[in-house]
Amino acid sequence: MTTVTTRTVEYPADNLTMIGHLALPAGAERRPAVLIGPEGVGLSDVERRRAEALAELGYVALAFDLHGGRYLEEPEDMLARCMPLLADPDRMRGIGHAALDVLRAEPRADPDRIAAVGYGTGGAVVLELGRDGVDLRAIGTVNALTTGRPGEAARIRCPVWAGVGAEDPIMPPAQREAFTAEMQAAGVDWRLVVYGGALHAFHHPTVGHTVRPGVGHHPRHAQRAWQDIVALLAECLPVTD
């Protein structure tokens, strides 16, 4: 097994001190890099483990923070923080750019070879980086079929892969259609995978605290979605020795 090293990184964004999780692969050479954005509840061990799994594959990976080190277990707290954020593309871009700056400044990361993957609110953040014209090699999102301001999707410069549960009430068919129409009109190289029978946050292991209705883990599709993201990175951001 490849030796992975990790460290916590603190950086300012959205008037908060964010606490991200950086995972580095073995060796000393520069490697392609991946941003990882968490669900609306905030950065947890789920995203930290994903960063470490990507480092095992040879990527420099930064799981970024949304809430200044807080994990918002109560749905009311999460919605109070995330709904205004999701309605403000410039705030989302600020959070994304701050994390991107940290990743680009890491000596092991190749600043010209970066992809971004996000879940829920974190996925909306990485999509906004694309709409802001950031030079990314790929964007992958799960549960984040958010649409942007008119015309700005045309600034996306890389393939976009999106995954969603077929039974997700938070990202229903009308939202899927709006997202794919935006991507298609903008000429983006896009893909959408709909996972049959899956609810919102199907990728996220079961948690002990209260969750919103329509949220549930689907172990089989969770593994498939992860494999799809790894395949996206292998296609668009290969690790070369």
Side-chain angles (χ1 to χ4, degrees), residues 145 161-168 176 191-198 202 221 228:
L145 306 183
W161 175 93
V164 69
E167 304 306 309
D168 183 345
R176 291 181 226 159
R191 284 169 280 175
L192 173 65
V193 178
V194 181
Y195 296 94
F202 68 90
H221 285 324
D228 285 345

Side-chain angles (χ1 to χ4, degrees), residues 32-38 54 59-64 96-97 99-100 103-104 113-119 122-131 134-142 144 156 158-162 226 229 232-233 236-237:
V34 183
L35 274 182
I36 304 172
L54 290 179
Y59 296 98
V60 174
L62 174 63
F64 65 83
H97 275 289
L100 187 62
L103 187 56
R104 283 178 170 156
R113 291 192 296 158
I114 295 177
V117 174
Y119 299 85
V125 168
V126 303
L127 280 168
E128 283 305 321
L129 286 178
R131 294 186 184 106
V134 171
D135 183 15
L136 298 169
R137 295 298 181 91
I139 294 171
T141 74
V142 180
I156 294 174
C158 64
V160 172
W161 175 93
W226 176 249
I229 286 170
L232 172 75
L233 296 173
C236 300
L237 191 69

